[in-house]
Amino acid sequence: MSNTQALPLLEADVPEAVAPCCPPLTERPFTADEAETAARMFKALGDPVRLRLFSAVASHEGGEACVCDISDVGVSQPTVSHHLKKLKEAGLLTSERRGTWVYYRVEPSVLAAMGKLLTSTSAAS
């Protein structure tokens, strides 16, 4: 008997599913809270191992990856777990335990919010 459960997907075209942490950088200066949230995300992605893990999860077939499939990033398994924990704390990954393995997912709304943050609102002159 399996107790696996599929994580719900958020639709990218549903306005409440895409809740960017901050306005686009060119729209207005960040508030202190917006800057803190954005800095936490960028700090988590500022480490090459974390960026590789985030990329591995985001690009994995089916939109989620078992830790057993993404742990070959040149560091020990405890270090991989530490980096995945930091990505989760930054709100970049979600996880679900299935038996002895943990599966990670990048929610589509997170990618959309990150894209909106780095999008310019002004037209090129």
Side-chain angles (χ1 to χ4, degrees):
M1 175 175 206
S2 173
N3 87 17
T4 61
Q5 208 175 22
L7 292 174
L9 289 177
L10 299 176
E11 296 299 324
D13 55 356
V14 177
E16 57 272 11
V18 179
C21 70
C22 322
L25 289 172
T26 57
E27 186 176 300
R28 64 168 172 77
F30 285 171
T31 66
D33 288 341
E34 290 168 341
E36 182 68 33
T37 302
R40 192 172 35 254
M41 288 184 348
F42 286 119
K43 183 176 181 181
L45 292 175
D47 181 280
V49 172
R50 289 186 200 141
L51 188 55
R52 287 184 66 198
L53 288 167
F54 185 74
S55 174
V57 173
S59 64
H60 201 269
E61 184 178 333
E64 69 179 6
C66 174
V67 69
C68 60
D69 294 329
I70 60 171
S71 59
D72 186 20
V73 291
V75 296
S76 67
Q77 200 289 317
T79 303
V80 168
S81 293
H82 166 76
H83 286 303
L84 289 169
K85 178 182 174 185
K86 293 296 183 183
L87 290 167
K88 282 184 60 177
E89 288 172 351
L92 298 170
L93 293 179
T94 59
S95 67
E96 177 184 21
R97 178 169 292 283
R98 297 180 194 162
T100 58
W101 297 111
V102 177
Y103 287 78
Y104 291 88
R105 170 181 299 276
V106 177
E107 292 295 339
S109 62
V110 170
L111 292 176
M114 291 175 70
K116 283 187 178 226
L117 172 67
L118 297 173
T119 300
S120 173
T121 58
S122 61
S125 349

